[in-house]
Amino acid sequence: MSKNVVIIGQSGAGKSSLINMLCPGADARISNDATGCTQEEQEYTCVLGRGKSCQVHDTIGLEEGRWGFLPDKKAQKKLKTYLKDSQKSWHLLVYCIPGSRGLKKSHARNFNKFKSMVGNRVPVVVVVTHLDQYEGPLQDWWPRNLDTLKKLDINPESTAGHACITALSRRDLERYNKGALYNQSLQDVQNLIRSILWPSRANRTTT
Ligand SMILES: Nc1nc2c(ncn2[C@@H]2O[C@H](COP(=O)(O)OP(=O)(O)OP(=O)(O)O)[C@@H](O)[C@H]2O)c(=O)[nH]1
Ligand SMILES: [Mg+2]
C-alpha cells in the first residue's frame, strides 16, 4: 500500500515549490501572483530511496482573500472534503509556513484545525519555507522562533519534526550563488519525511 503525504498551508507558502523539489519532473505550477495558484489537489510520486516511495499530495492554498481564485471558506471546505473523502489513508501531514514573511495567527489556526482533522494517529511536521535570505544556518530558525510559535499556538511538542528550508528552485538559488542551500534544503526535507514514514535508526535526520 502506498504511503500518502499531504502538504497543506496558506497560499504562497511554497507547497507546490516543495513538491517540485521532492518530485523531479513534477512540474507543479507555481506563481507569485496575487491570487492563489494551485486550483486542484494533485498527487505526485516521490522516491526517497530504494523501496521508499510515497505519494505526495499538493493542495489548494488557504487564506486567500475574496478576490482570489478560491476564497478561504471554500478552500477549507474543498481541502476538508479531499482529506475526508479521498479513499486514502494519510501517513503524514506536512504543514508549510513561510518563515520570513511574518507568521500570522491564521497559520496557527489552520495548523491546529487540519491537524485535528486528520486525527492523532497521523503525524504532523512543519516545513518552514522562504528562508533563503535568513542569516545564519537555516536550522537556527526553529529554536530562535520557538517562543513566537508557542505564542501563536503552534505547539512544537505536538509536531513530529520540522525542517527549515528554502523551496526556491535549484536554478534560482544558483543564480544567487546559493546552490548549497538547495542541496541542504532538499536533504533536510527528504530526511524528515523518511524518518517519519520509515522510522529506523539509519533514517534519522542528522541536522
Ligand atoms: N524566496 C522564496 N520564494 C519561494 C519559496 N518557496 C516558494 N517561493 C515562491 O513563492 C511563490 C509561491 O510559491 P508556490 O509554490 O506557488 O506556493 P503555494 O503554496 O503552492 O501557493 P498556492 O498554490 O497559491 O497555494 C512562487 O513565486 C515561488 O517561487 C522560498 O522558500 N523562498
Ligand atoms: Mg500551489
Side-chain angles (χ1 to χ4, degrees):
M1 187 187 65
S2 170
K3 294 181 190 265
N4 289 293
V5 177
V6 63
I7 305 197
I8 294 181
Q10 286 170 225
S11 186
K15 301 176 294 299
S16 303
S17 303
L18 180 59
I19 296 263
N20 287 336
M21 268 186 117
L22 286 167
C23 315
D27 208 14
R29 206 165 80 78
I30 63 166
S31 151
N32 61 1
D33 287 344
T35 57
C37 178
T38 303
Q39 306 199 346
E40 275 305 322
E41 295 84 4
Q42 172 98 38
E43 66 176 274
Y44 302 88
T45 301
C46 170
V47 179
L48 293 167
R50 204 195 256 198
K52 294 189 173 107
S53 41
C54 56
Q55 294 302 110
V56 183
H57 298 247
D58 195 6
T59 63
I60 172 168
L62 302 170
E63 294 295 321
E64 270 216 87
R66 259 184 293 161
W67 60 87
F69 154 70
L70 199 60
D72 189 50
K73 264 196 180 158
K74 286 192 177 162
Q76 297 233 4
K77 202 167 164 201
K78 194 169 184 317
L79 182 51
K80 189 173 171 184
T81 305
Y82 189 69
L83 290 174
K84 297 268 179 211
D85 292 358
S86 64
Q87 309 275 307
K88 298 192 165 54
S89 15
W90 299 109
H91 297 84
L92 175 62
L93 188 165
V94 174
Y95 192 77
C96 280
I97 56 174
S100 68
R101 281 191 176 178
L103 275 172
K104 296 190 212 122
K105 285 229 152 125
S106 54
H107 288 113
R109 198 174 53 235
N110 287 323
F111 168 81
N112 287 311
K113 186 184 285 180
F114 286 97
K115 188 174 176 308
S116 55
M117 201 175 285
V118 292
N120 284 341
R121 275 182 305 171
V122 180
V124 178
V125 295
V126 175
V127 171
V128 184
T129 54
H130 286 267
L131 293 182
D132 27 285
Q133 302 296 330
Y134 190 68
E135 285 176 15
L138 303 197
Q139 64 266 31
D140 285 359
W141 187 95
W142 191 263
R144 281 198 204 154
N145 288 277
L146 263 188
D147 283 347
T148 309
L149 290 172
K150 283 181 194 160
K151 268 185 212 145
L152 284 172
D153 203 21
I154 293 182
N155 178 5
E157 278 148 35
S158 71
T159 69
H162 63 268
C164 298
I165 67 159
T166 166
L168 275 183
S169 68
R170 184 194 292 276
R171 206 177 52 178
D172 283 341
L173 286 163
E174 282 175 350
R175 200 179 301 147
Y176 305 122
N177 277 335
K178 292 189 173 188
L181 279 190
Y182 181 88
N183 295 333
Q184 190 204 319
S185 296
L186 177 59
Q187 194 183 320
D188 285 356
V189 82
Q190 285 179 328
N191 277 344
L192 177 66
I193 296 176
R194 255 196 307 261
S195 71
I196 305 288
L197 296 187
W198 296 277
S200 78
R201 195 176 269 229
N203 288 331
R204 282 196 195 127
T205 179
T206 51
T207 54

